[in-house]
Amino acid sequence: MEGVAPAVSLFRPRPSARFPVLLAADSVAARRSPSADGWSGVSMRSLETSPPRAGRSAVRKHGSTESAPRRSGITRVPRLGPAVSTKRAGRRKDPLINLEVSRHRAVAAVRLLRIEKGKAFVDLLNEKANDSGDNEMGYVERTLGFSTRYLEDWDIRLVTVIVAGTVRWKRYLDYLIMSLCSEEKVFREMEPLLLQILRIGFFEILKLDVPAYAAVDENVRLAKVALRPGAGNMVNAILRKLLLLKETNSLPLPKIEGDDRAQARALSIIYSHPVWMVRRWIRLHGKDEALRLMNWNNSDPRFSLRVNTSKGYTRADLVKQLESLQVHHEESVMDEFVRIQEGMQAVLQAGLLKDGMCAVQDESAGLVVSVVDPQPGDTIIDCCAAPGGKTLFMASRLSRQGKIRALDVNKGRLRILMDAAKQHSLDDMITDIHADLRLYAKETTAKYDKVLLDAPCSGLGVLSKRADLRWNRQFEDLEELMCLQDELLDSASTLVKPGGILIYSTCSIDPEENENRITTFVQRHPVLVHNNQHGFFFFLEYAGELRIFVLIERINRPLTN
């Protein structure tokens, strides 16, 4: 079906067991070991020795003989007591560790639940994985009432793919789940955790190359242990109904028919995008281009690594490291960049970023820097600099001659930028300025050879990389962003030296944030724009790698040139 991302084989068979096995591990006695289950020094429990507990599929708290009432979703989340270690995520003095619940599915379900509540983002687990600042395993225990074994690299990859894919296809998945429920009310009143488990199962069956028995059995087991037996039975019935419909090629999807509004609603379900985006893109780009754009947004994103030439590394050095890590890659047309689609965890854990050998950076950002064209001796200001990818790249081009001011309103993100600058041995080239550009431009007398304004925008050009962004954007956001972009552009223009240049860029594909902002700027400042003492460049980015349009206008010359 058009719009469906290619199937990805991510399933690895795991040994089955008769019953869910729990470990009650003392934090002092328990030690990691190379054994099959990854633990030693623990006392094992199973359903054969533990009486069933109401509402928890025979999972009971260590040391307790009392039954507990049924849990509903996460409305009765167990609290962590003072014995919880803040250093190790999810580790209590006496935690329950379930060895039979699929660990990557448990983590994915909890992360999806947190995303739904606005408490988390769709991103890669970092190189510390289970000891990360998000305390991923701690969230699992607090939400589900038990822990899983720590995640291996393969599990982290699966969590990343499942979470991003499930969020990306949420509208499509929810439509099918609702269609397969006995009535719409069942879907509308479904427990949040149960809905996340169903979404995972539907995504695995429809979009990933996961064997049907694994998708059904593992998600049923998760629902039974995390919620109650009845929830598992419901998951089992709905997933098996889905399998039957898939095998007979009779998924109950809407037909693309009727007026423009009705067709847009159907397309928004099939391609899992907000209706307003679909209608807007069809109006702006035509139906074929809108479908192509949505297909791209639903594809697995590629990531680019930029080698740090300021430390003396070459792309050949980076390629050699990737080959040693067995990370599939391809070289970009831009000399400093290498593309990868998988293997980011290997890159992180090998310390290539931490050691300053390379940085994760989109090639479109490199394109912006190529337009800036930093030259030794230049003074440059990056007006919305954090998190700093473009700033670092520009500094590496200066051959240690010249200065860059990195300005941003977010102090924490500026600190991250300067830490990265130190890793890349570029901190002597960069000075951070914590300020609002609009206030800074009024108060300073400084002028710069080159002014880069990579403006805050809707991000509609990078939806393949930011899976949750489509659901967090409203049409009304565009109007607010347009006003902000105008104000920032006016302020940035006052920082340009006579003969200097201003570069404006976004990662949006909407003309209201791009061409129209330039048009209104020219209308507001006709004298400034046509003054031969200033050379204004306006760079408009059609981002997202689907296709990139670059429009550079020398405004101090006839616009037809």
Side-chain angles (χ1 to χ4, degrees):
M1 180 179 65
E2 188 175 7
V4 177
V8 180
S9 179
L10 292 170
F11 177 74
R12 182 177 61 181
R14 54 192 301 277
S16 60
R18 186 178 174 190
F19 300 111
V21 179
L22 301 180
L23 300 182
D26 184 89
S27 61
V28 176
R31 294 291 184 268
R32 300 300 302 271
S33 78
S35 61
D37 57 22
W39 293 86
S40 64
V42 296
S43 58
M44 298 188 65
R45 294 170 174 266
S46 75
L47 289 178
E48 295 173 306
T49 58
S50 299
R53 170 186 169 190
R56 182 52 77 79
S57 184
V59 179
R60 66 186 179 89
K61 185 176 180 181
H62 175 59
S64 171
T65 59
E66 297 181 0
S67 296
R70 288 186 177 184
R71 294 179 61 215
S72 175
I74 60 167
T75 58
R76 297 175 62 85
V77 178
R79 296 182 179 276
L80 291 177
V84 176
S85 168
T86 58
K87 187 174 181 181
R88 294 296 299 273
R91 294 292 303 277
R92 293 188 292 184
K93 184 177 180 180
D94 206 16
L96 283 176
I97 302 168
N98 192 304
L99 298 182
E100 283 306 305
V101 168
S102 171
R103 49 189 172 184
H104 72 263
R105 290 182 178 89
V107 173
V110 173
R111 178 171 277 244
L112 287 167
L113 199 60
R114 293 176 59 225
I115 292 168
E116 194 93 340
K117 292 179 170 291
K119 304 280 185 173
F121 299 98
V122 179
D123 54 10
L124 293 169
L125 297 177
N126 69 18
E127 66 269 29
K128 294 183 181 179
N130 305 292
D131 290 331
S132 69
D134 286 340
N135 288 334
E136 203 76 34
M137 303 306 285
Y139 286 120
V140 171
E141 183 176 355
R142 288 195 291 274
T143 304
L144 305 183
F146 58 85
S147 289
T148 69
R149 286 180 295 170
Y150 274 28
L151 301 181
E152 305 297 339
D153 292 351
W154 181 255
D155 299 305
I156 295 173
R157 165 67 179 158
L158 285 169
V159 171
T160 301
V161 170
I162 289 173
V163 169
T166 302
V167 170
R168 189 177 288 123
W169 287 99
K170 182 172 70 171
R171 185 172 176 84
Y172 170 81
L173 299 175
D174 283 0
Y175 179 87
L176 290 174
I177 293 171
M178 184 171 64
S179 299
L180 272 57
C181 286
S182 57
E183 54 183 300
E184 185 174 333
K185 183 181 178 182
V186 174
F187 174 79
R188 298 297 180 194
E189 298 179 358
M190 189 174 290
E191 296 158 288
L193 179 58
L194 179 57
L195 177 57
Q196 306 309 329
I197 295 172
L198 278 171
R199 284 172 175 168
I200 291 172
F202 272 57
F203 177 72
E204 289 181 322
I205 289 171
L206 296 173
K207 301 296 179 182
L208 295 184
D209 188 19
V210 175
Y213 74 88
V216 174
D217 292 352
E218 296 288 357
N219 285 294
V220 167
R221 182 183 288 115
L222 177 58
K224 284 185 175 181
V225 176
L227 291 168
R228 59 192 174 280
N233 295 336
M234 182 179 183
V235 171
N236 183 62
I238 293 177
L239 290 184
R240 291 190 181 281
K241 190 185 297 185
L242 174 68
L243 286 171
L244 179 61
L245 292 172
K246 182 187 177 187
E247 290 171 1
T248 57
N249 196 28
S250 53
L251 293 176
L253 291 173
K255 295 181 179 179
I256 306 172
E257 58 186 15
D259 59 17
D260 292 346
R261 187 185 297 270
Q263 289 190 38
R265 281 199 298 268
L267 289 171
S268 75
I269 292 169
I270 295 170
Y271 292 90
S272 195
H273 279 71
V275 177
W276 76 266
M277 285 187 192
V278 178
R279 295 190 68 193
R280 186 167 181 80
W281 290 342
I282 291 176
R283 181 172 62 82
L284 291 173
H285 308 297
K287 184 177 177 180
D288 290 344
E289 185 67 16
L291 295 181
R292 186 166 171 255
L293 180 56
M294 288 188 285
N295 269 323
W296 176 262
N297 293 339
N298 288 332
S299 64
D300 292 330
R302 291 184 301 177
F303 295 91
S304 299
L305 301 176
R306 177 181 60 81
V307 68
N308 182 12
T309 56
S310 63
K311 271 194 167 184
Y313 294 113
T314 65
R315 183 164 67 177
D317 296 328
L318 178 57
V319 166
K320 185 176 180 180
Q321 285 288 336
L322 295 176
E323 288 175 347
S324 68
L325 295 171
Q326 297 183 333
V327 173
H328 179 72
H329 60 277
E330 60 182 66
E331 295 182 2
S332 165
V333 294
M334 303 185 69
D335 292 341
E336 297 95 338
F337 288 83
V338 175
R339 299 169 184 164
I340 65 172
Q341 193 155 5
E342 297 181 8
M344 185 61 73
Q345 288 301 319
V347 172
L348 290 169
Q349 293 179 6
L352 302 189
L353 274 64
K354 186 176 181 180
D355 296 341
M357 182 180 195
C358 62
V360 179
Q361 188 164 37
D362 198 283
E363 289 171 85
S364 61
L367 194 56
V368 175
V369 172
S370 69
V371 174
V372 178
D373 191 25
Q375 296 296 318
D378 279 345
T379 57
I380 302 172
I381 182 168
D382 190 347
C383 295
C384 298
K390 297 181 184 70
T391 306
L392 297 178
F393 192 11
M394 289 189 293
S396 70
R397 289 278 188 96
L398 291 178
S399 301
R400 315 212 72 82
Q401 300 176 49
K403 289 291 182 181
I404 294 183
R405 301 291 186 268
L407 183 146
D408 203 274
V409 71
N410 190 311
K411 190 173 184 178
R413 283 161 62 88
L414 269 180
R415 184 165 54 248
I416 294 172
L417 186 158
M418 294 308 296
D419 288 344
K422 193 168 186 179
Q423 285 180 345
H424 286 241
S425 301
L426 293 169
D427 48 316
D428 59 330
M429 306 284 296
I430 302 170
T431 302
D432 61 316
I433 302 173
H434 176 222
D436 185 312
L437 172 62
R438 294 165 291 188
L439 297 178
Y440 174 78
K442 290 179 180 178
E443 297 170 357
T444 188
T445 58
K447 304 293 180 182
Y448 300 89
D449 297 313
K450 293 169 181 176
V451 178
L452 171 60
L453 175 60
D454 187 37
C457 68
S458 64
L460 295 182
V462 291
L463 295 185
S464 67
K465 287 185 171 67
R466 298 183 59 185
D468 55 340
L469 186 59
R470 70 185 71 182
W471 310 121
N472 297 330
R473 281 285 179 246
Q474 303 294 329
F475 176 73
E476 293 73 21
D477 295 339
L478 291 180
E479 293 185 358
E480 295 182 15
L481 286 165
M482 285 158 49
C483 293
L484 175 60
Q485 289 154 1
D486 284 344
E487 292 175 2
L488 295 177
L489 192 50
D490 288 344
S491 299
S493 68
T494 67
L495 303 177
V496 185
K497 279 182 180 180
I501 62 171
L502 168 65
I503 300 93
Y504 171 80
S505 71
T506 77
C507 56
S508 173
I509 59 173
D510 199 286
E512 286 290 357
E513 299 183 82
N514 294 321
E515 294 93 333
N516 293 0
R517 302 281 51 79
I518 303 307
T519 299
T520 57
F521 179 83
V522 172
Q523 293 171 348
R524 289 195 306 274
H525 305 286
V527 176
L528 174 65
V529 168
H530 292 285
N531 186 337
N532 287 331
Q533 289 184 325
H534 293 78
F536 285 87
F537 282 61
F538 293 97
F539 167 77
L540 307 180
E541 179 184 352
Y542 194 121
E545 301 174 15
L546 172 65
R547 60 178 186 176
I548 298 177
F549 291 154
V550 181
L551 173 63
I552 304 171
E553 300 183 8
R554 283 188 179 273
I555 301 298
N556 63 335
R557 298 179 181 176
L559 298 182
T560 56
N561 284 359

